[in-house]
Amino acid sequence: MYKIAVDGPAGAGKSTISKMVAKEIGFIYVDTGAFFRTIALGCIKGNVDISNEEAVNEAIKTFDISFAYENGEQQVYLNKENVSSLIRTAEVSSAASVVSAYKAVRQKVNVSEYEISEKENVVMDGRDIGTTVFPDASVKIYLTASSYIRAVRRLRDYEKKGIKASIEEVEKEIIERDERDMHREISPLTRAEDAVFLDSSDLTVDEVVSKMVTIIKSKIEL
Ligand code: DC
């Protein structure tokens, strides 16, 4: 099975791009951030203190996380409830960044990542896919953009959902998340040595998709 690893910071466009690329090459798109978000949501719902690693470790033993595809879209379930839209809030984003630093949380997510990759050709996005989860991935791409551009994109997503925020606020949130994701002890976000670097700041979505498909086709036979 082929594994395409797409890593990069929050708001670089990984999910939008990876989803389109996966469709174009006929692979399954796996959004691994959604698993961390689901764990974060479970903690919030259960009033678990997310700064307490022990408490989070205990709580996740009771979380049954599963996923499925509906009309080509990945859906995540927490104890059989579809939480796919509930995990897209700013509160869950920042809680996901906190709990994703814990070893037991990462191990739980790794199980889902390995399971799906054994059955399907995947385009998987995250922070540590090319470095830790699949160091043997067929293709590795590090997708990034400036923090300002990423904040502008996030703000647009928020506006579509009717969430009010300022650009300063959103950029600050993104920089804080980068700090945590890049400097945690386990599986920090770094560019794998053999990853192709792609900066999407000055490119349209279609341009990034086309560049990525070209990179993939240069590395594997589709
Ligand atoms: O990609 P995202 O914004 O949905 O990710 C939410 C958080 O989960 C992010 O701050 C870092 C964490 N994450 C991670 O540590 N490893 C991954 N493979 C994916 C996400």
Side-chain angles (χ1 to χ4, degrees):
M1 288 287 142
Y2 288 123
K3 302 171 190 111
I4 315 288
V6 182
D7 292 302
K14 296 187 301 296
S15 59
T16 308
I17 306 288
S18 303
K19 205 183 290 179
M20 291 170 73
V21 168
K23 198 168 177 196
E24 194 161 330
I25 62 175
F27 286 18
I28 294 274
Y29 163 61
V30 184
D31 168 7
T32 64
F35 303 142
F36 292 99
R37 288 170 176 270
T38 302
I39 290 175
L41 178 73
C43 290
I44 294 168
K45 279 181 158 208
N47 287 320
V48 178
D49 174 8
I50 56 161
S51 64
N52 182 339
E53 184 169 353
E54 284 302 308
V56 172
N57 290 352
E58 272 311 301
I60 63 173
K61 290 180 188 160
T62 67
F63 296 172
D64 167 32
I65 295 170
S66 56
F67 60 104
Y69 288 85
E70 282 166 25
N71 302 322
E73 293 280 323
Q74 176 183 302
Q75 306 289 318
V76 265
Y77 297 81
L78 172 63
N79 300 332
K80 311 277 183 263
E81 179 192 356
N82 188 335
V83 293
S84 309
S85 48
L86 298 180
I87 59 172
R88 299 291 158 196
T89 65
E91 186 190 14
V92 173
S93 299
S94 107
S97 168
V98 174
V99 299
S100 66
Y102 302 151
K103 194 170 167 195
V105 169
R106 303 206 71 83
Q107 281 169 344
K108 194 174 174 79
V109 172
N110 283 347
V111 173
S112 306
E113 293 166 340
Y114 294 140
E115 266 175 19
I116 179 109
S117 73
E118 277 175 3
K119 289 184 236 141
E120 308 276 356
N121 289 318
V122 294
V123 175
M124 190 174 277
D125 86 22
R127 304 292 188 285
D128 62 336
I129 309 304
T131 51
T132 312
V133 183
F134 298 127
D136 62 337
S138 327
V139 185
K140 298 180 188 180
I141 290 160
Y142 189 86
L143 183 65
T144 190
S146 71
S147 60
Y148 179 75
I149 293 284
R150 290 186 283 133
V152 169
R153 292 176 183 163
R154 247 317 111 90
L155 196 61
R156 265 190 235 134
D157 288 344
Y158 283 162
E159 274 165 8
K160 274 188 218 147
K161 291 179 193 153
I163 300 170
K164 287 207 165 63
S166 68
I167 184 75
E168 292 80 14
E169 223 178 320
V170 178
E171 189 176 6
K172 183 167 165 272
E173 217 172 80
I174 282 190
I175 292 171
E176 278 170 10
R177 207 133 75 85
D178 284 355
E179 270 297 302
R180 263 198 306 267
D181 296 347
M182 291 175 179
H183 297 106
R184 67 180 174 224
E185 216 168 296
I186 316 168
S187 292
L189 166 66
T190 51
R191 176 185 164 191
E193 267 177 34
D194 49 351
V196 178
F197 184 85
L198 201 49
D199 187 327
S200 70
S201 304
D202 301 318
L203 300 174
T204 64
V205 168
D206 287 342
E207 284 168 341
V208 183
V209 170
S210 146
K211 275 187 190 286
M212 222 186 255
V213 171
T214 306
I215 294 167
I216 295 167
K217 285 187 174 162
S218 74
K219 305 224 176 228
I220 61 174
E221 220 159 292
L222 291 172

